[in-house]
Structure formats: C-alpha cells, structure tokens
Amino acid sequence: MDTIEKIKEIIAQQTGIDHDAIKADTTIEDIMADSLDTIEMLMAIEDSFDIDIPDEDARTLQSVGELCTYIDNKLFS
C-alpha cells in the first residue's frame, strides 16, 4: 500500500469519512476535524509509518497530499 492510500485509510478510520472521498487536495477543514481529531489522526499516522512529526511541522501541513510528501521525504531521504 502506498503512502496516500495508507493515510486515506487512517483518516477514514478516525473520522468515518468514506475512503474514496479523501483526495490529495483534501484539507483538515474539508474533513471537519477538531483539534483532538487532528492530534489522534497524526498520532495514528506516526505509529503507522514509525516516524515523528514535530508539532511545528504538523501545523504547516494543510492537505493530504502535503502530508504524503512530508512522510515520503522523511522515509526516503
């Protein structure tokens, strides 16, 4: 499973949003996640990819696509 599919799966599980409705340009606002939901999603993503996303980095990530790029850069750089 590639990065975006894995992230979409996590978001779908955490929010109840249909997996297919989540796209690369989907934002946190689109998901309508509150701050606690966002934290829980990021923790699940960190656990799934075995990485750490510092808070200052997390605040700059606006879309699913940006999150994918960030994770791929951490994993493959």
Side-chain angles (χ1 to χ4, degrees):
M1 183 180 303
D2 61 357
T3 304
I4 194 163
E5 289 303 315
K6 201 169 189 179
I7 290 173
K8 287 169 59 173
E9 181 71 25
I10 292 167
I11 292 171
Q13 287 175 351
Q14 294 285 325
T15 64
I17 293 174
D18 180 42
H19 176 275
D20 294 330
I22 303 166
K23 309 292 182 202
D25 63 348
T26 300
T27 66
I28 298 300
E29 290 81 30
D30 294 336
I31 296 168
M32 297 193 307
D34 64 23
S35 57
L36 181 58
D37 291 332
T38 302
I39 290 167
E40 289 175 348
M41 279 188 291
L42 285 174
M43 288 174 57
I45 289 167
E46 287 175 327
D47 288 346
S48 181
F49 288 96
D50 194 29
I51 61 170
D52 181 48
I53 303 173
D55 291 341
E56 54 275 358
D57 290 349
R59 284 190 286 274
T60 67
L61 303 170
Q62 299 298 312
S63 70
V64 172
E66 289 175 6
L67 182 57
C68 289
T69 300
Y70 178 86
I71 290 170
D72 284 343
N73 286 338
K74 283 195 80 119
L75 292 175
F76 303 114
S77 294

